[in-house]
Amino acid sequence: QVQLVESGGGLVQTGGSLRLSCAASGGTFSNYTMGWFRQAPGKEREFVASTNWNGSKIGYRDSVKGRFTISRDNARNTVFLQMNSLKPEDTAVYYCGARTRAFGVSWFRDVPLYDYWGQGTQVTVTS
């Protein structure tokens, strides 16, 4: 059983930056593909970014490309999401997810494919 704890959310103005962290425990971190997702009020949870087990292969949703960067530190059992040039439409609860590595697939964008989730951290971007 893997436990995930997100941190780093907050209130920021348009154009600002935040760095989210997700600390994992209870499993071998390098055995998991990790992802960041977000959910705004009244909307479904959506994919933001994902990384394979060692950070060498990464995927992003189109609207965050060039602004957000996902990374992981396997020695610290932590995955990060650096968010720059934030916009009001980035406002949401951000969740990290973990998915057991799968042969031939580097990263995943679909919510149902993830096995474990954190409790989320609120990001609010004001205009």
Side-chain angles (χ1 to χ4, degrees):
Q1 188 79 7
V2 174
Q3 292 81 44
L4 303 172
V5 179
E6 301 96 334
S7 61
L11 180 68
V12 64
Q13 292 185 331
T14 296
S17 298
L18 285 172
R19 189 192 196 205
L20 306 183
S21 300
C22 172
S25 61
T28 301
F29 188 62
S30 58
N31 285 347
Y32 294 91
T33 294
M34 300 299 295
W36 284 100
F37 293 74
R38 65 188 182 188
Q39 188 166 16
K43 295 187 177 181
E44 293 186 350
R45 190 169 299 190
E46 65 181 19
F47 169 76
V48 175
S50 180
T51 174
N52 73 329
W53 72 277
N54 66 354
S56 64
K57 296 184 179 180
I58 288 170
Y60 296 97
R61 72 178 297 107
D62 286 346
S63 63
V64 308
K65 286 180 180 177
R67 300 189 298 123
F68 291 11
T69 302
I70 187 172
S71 62
R72 65 188 295 163
D73 184 340
N74 286 350
R76 295 168 57 188
N77 293 348
T78 303
V79 62
F80 304 97
L81 186 69
Q82 178 66 44
M83 304 187 296
N84 298 328
S85 302
L86 282 161
K87 305 175 181 180
E89 51 263 44
D90 294 318
T91 295
V93 178
Y94 281 70
Y95 298 90
C96 72
R99 149 74 203 215
T100 304
R101 290 166 61 181
F103 180 77
V105 182
S106 298
W107 53 270
F108 302 89
R109 66 169 57 240
D110 296 323
V111 171
L113 295 179
Y114 283 77
D115 303 311
Y116 304 101
W117 294 94
Q119 83 290 345
T121 185
Q122 177 72 46
V123 172
T124 303
V125 185
T126 60
S127 57

